[in-house]
Amino acid sequence: MTEPKSGVFISFEGGDGVGKSTQIKRLAERLSTVGWDVVTTREPGGSPGAEAIRKLLVEGDKDKWSPMTEALLMVAARRDHLERVIAPALERGAVVITDRFSDSTMAYQGMAGALGTHAAATLHALVVGDNNPDLTIILDLPIEEGLRRASDRAGAETRFESKGEQFQQAVREAFLTIARSDPGRCVVIDAGGAVEETERAVWRAVESRLPAISAPG
Ligand code: TMP
């Protein structure tokens, strides 16, 4: 993780059910077509160890972890994912697209949850350091629509959705606050229209923020 990276690191963020996985799939296909080695991954999870931690986090009662324990599990998963999947892929020159990264910890645990922003920032500094995404796309959608979409496919992974509408609203606002505080890295995209419309907006953001990506390096 000490090598300078030569790849491109993109994260997708947003509340539950905003359509990140669909958009990631479409962006990955487009980048593969122009010749990039593309790695798509997700958090919590993305490596075998982190996927095991994911199960502890996304299933069960909403209050089963204290705010600090929940955040420590999130960053433990993230460190394993970063060391074993993200950093090696960036070092070999790939485009890494992750469904959530550390802005989710700041939004869900630090701002909407009881952890607080200071502790979330401290954990980020320790676990992620300078390994931040080159571009973060925040998909924004009214929470009623997001929760409806999320409940259509939730299965056993309902722990965060069950934290309630007030919590989800706070998460939405947290992502918008994060975007305002880091406009060089973050782009907010309205995810309320047709999938193709959002896809076009995502591509415009990628092309304008990362001009070198239209052709592989
Ligand atoms: P997913 O449904 O997008 O796969 O994510 C699972 C849940 O985990 C989602 O509700 C958001 C939550 N989450 C956090 O609370 N903090 C984090 O750092 C991450 C990565 C996810």
Side-chain angles (χ1 to χ4, degrees):
M1 294 220 331
T2 50
E3 293 296 305
K5 65 182 193 195
S6 59
V8 181
F9 186 19
I10 301 173
S11 62
F12 276 69
E13 298 278 8
D16 294 288
V18 295
K20 292 181 277 77
S21 46
T22 305
Q23 293 302 330
I24 287 171
K25 195 163 166 279
R26 291 184 176 214
L27 177 61
E29 279 166 9
R30 189 157 187 172
L31 291 171
S32 299
T33 307
V34 294
W36 282 98
D37 168 8
V38 183
V39 174
T40 59
T41 186
R42 69 167 182 183
E43 291 205 351
S47 62
E51 288 290 331
I53 298 172
R54 175 186 176 94
K55 208 168 154 51
L56 300 174
L57 281 161
V58 298
E59 296 182 7
D61 186 77
K62 66 179 172 47
D63 296 319
K64 83 178 201 190
W65 302 114
S66 76
M68 179 59 85
T69 312
E70 181 174 287
L72 290 169
L73 287 167
M74 289 290 179
V75 297
R78 178 159 307 130
R79 183 68 193 188
D80 192 64
H81 184 212
L82 192 53
E83 285 175 3
R84 292 172 195 267
V85 175
I86 298 174
L90 292 175
E91 276 160 29
R92 70 166 193 264
V95 177
V96 176
I97 310 176
T98 184
D99 185 338
R100 301 193 180 282
F101 194 61
S102 48
D103 295 317
S104 280
T105 307
M106 182 53 82
Y108 281 80
Q109 282 69 49
M111 296 167 94
L115 181 72
T117 55
H118 179 72
T122 303
L123 290 175
H124 176 86
L126 180 68
V127 170
V128 176
D130 293 332
N131 296 283
N132 292 302
D134 300 296
L135 172 66
T136 295
I137 293 178
I138 296 174
L139 298 182
D140 183 55
L141 190 67
I143 56 152
E144 300 75 23
E145 177 61 12
L147 287 174
R148 192 186 58 69
R149 291 189 199 171
S151 71
D152 288 346
R153 55 148 172 84
E157 297 194 341
T158 56
R159 194 171 153 255
F160 283 89
E161 284 87 341
S162 69
K163 292 195 179 213
E165 293 203 0
Q166 216 180 332
F167 180 79
Q168 294 292 336
Q169 187 60 41
V171 166
R172 182 184 186 196
E173 283 159 19
F175 280 121
L176 297 176
T177 302
I178 290 168
R180 277 194 297 274
S181 72
D182 198 349
R185 174 175 63 86
C186 301
V187 178
V188 177
I189 289 177
D190 177 358
V195 169
E196 292 70 24
E197 224 175 286
T198 307
E199 183 184 353
R200 280 194 294 276
V202 167
W203 184 250
R204 278 197 301 275
V206 169
E207 269 190 322
S208 67
R209 297 297 185 102
L210 304 168
I213 213 161
S214 301

